[in-house]
Amino acid sequence: MAVDYTVIVVYLAGMLAMGWWGMRRAKSKSDFLVAGRRLGPVMYSGTMAAIVLGGASTIGGVGLGYQYGLSGAWMVFTIGLGLLALSVFFSARIARLKVYTVSEMLDLRYGGRAGVISGVVMWAYTLMLAVTSTIAYATIFDVLFDMNRTLAIVLGGSIVVAYSTLGGMWSITLTDMVQFVVKTIGVLLLLLPIAVVKAGGFSEMKAKLPTEYFDPLGIGGETIFTYVLIYTFGMLIGQDIWQRVFTARGDRTAKWGGTVAGTYCLVYALAGAVIGTAAKVLYPKLPSADTAFATIVKDELPVGVRGLVLAAALAAVMSTSSGALIACATVANNDIWSRLRGAVRRTEDGHERERDEVKGNRVFILVMGIAVICTAIALNNVVEALTVAYNLLVGGLLVPILGGLLWKRGTVHGALASVVVGGLAVIGLMAAYGILANQPVYYGLLLSLAAYVIVSLATPATDAAVLATWRERLAGRDAEPVSEPVPVHQ
């Protein structure tokens, strides 16, 4: 395993080096939080694909393929569909708003007062997303080094916190590009063909497995529908995804770069399901489907290649973890702390204030990173925690966000009612039906929609001046200037 260890250590050292390099570029708040809003199509596509394809998409996607066959691709497939929908229909308008958070968009659209409540919901979602990604380090480092669970979480989490704190979105963008390349080589170009060949090819796989393993809908229609509600719609409104949209240098980059990334996700989904199906042929009686990825990598791949594929799994986890971490810190600082404090402190020198805000956001990433690591160590049931986060996100925020983009009659009172009713309904229904049940997100979303429409129609329409400002921003006018001009990165 010496060669494999060397590959992993070099990869981790490279992540830290890029964090240090990114620190030298992060000179303003815009640089630190959204990479100066100047990513070109290549970097934008790579980093967007990296953020949405995390440990759940890689390790979990293979596990679903092991359990259900080709229909196990649906979870990651719905993520890709959500990214495609966001890119084609909404990303250009989102990018033109020139905000930093989803809550800022809600305040801009509705005229204020929606930010803190929506910020708390979004913060809880991004925190749990970062926590569940961090826990995945334990699985990977256990395969690599037979490492204690707590030590693995601290080691993996500390590396992500370090490079994210140093350079913010610039460091995360650079590391995500490397992670995108490593995942493509490790999973698509190496593990996928090797797994199929080791399993005897598709003809042998069909001969040894039940026919339902090759049924595109074998996982069940209700499960697919739930995936669409949680993951496809979750892609439309998550702070971690929007913050990447904010990094695009223009409308075309956001639209077409995101479309490329979404298409890549569809391919990645099918690859994970095929790898899992091949693992079922090779290891028909694994104790857990989630161990399929680690088992086939450890037992079937040659030296060196094994290290690269495990680095790909590590890359998948790190990209999601770092993206969720900076989103969590951005929401905590800009949407919660700054608002509760009353106002952002200003100085006479605007440039100096920008530097102070970089320092402040850097501190918040460090604090949130420590909180994520501690929570990951203490948490037992990752699936339940992530389900709670996504149910709250979709049940509480989907309607007011999409309503604000699509329906001009929506009001701030309707948005607040939607967040509160949808959020409380989801919590109550999870207590009644169980955290993993489908009903909470179904009924919570319907109640959120009803509250939004009824209260919006029952209250005065949004002030014309607020809507005029909103339309100006959507059109790309009257927006904050991008930081100092520099060469555009492709």
Side-chain angles (χ1 to χ4, degrees), residues 65 68-74 202 205 212-216 269-270 273-274 277:
Y68 297 104
L70 297 186
S71 67
W74 273 106
F202 286 104
M205 290 163 64
E212 56 263 28
Y213 263 71
F214 302 91
D215 180 358
L270 184 59
V274 171
T277 305

Side-chain angles (χ1 to χ4, degrees), residues 160-180:
V160 170
V161 172
Y163 72 70
S164 300
T165 301
L166 285 172
M169 188 59 82
W170 266 123
S171 294
I172 293 171
T173 296
L174 294 171
T175 53
D176 276 0
M177 276 305 298
V178 174
Q179 289 158 357
F180 170 74

Side-chain angles (χ1 to χ4, degrees), residues 64 67-68 71-75 78 217-232 436 438 441-442:
L64 286 172
Q67 190 172 358
Y68 297 104
S71 67
W74 273 106
M75 184 186 77
T78 55
L217 303 178
I219 199 170
E222 185 178 357
T223 298
I224 295 170
F225 181 67
T226 303
Y227 283 160
V228 170
L229 277 186
I230 293 178
Y231 296 113
T232 301
L436 298 180
N438 294 328
V441 72
Y442 293 169

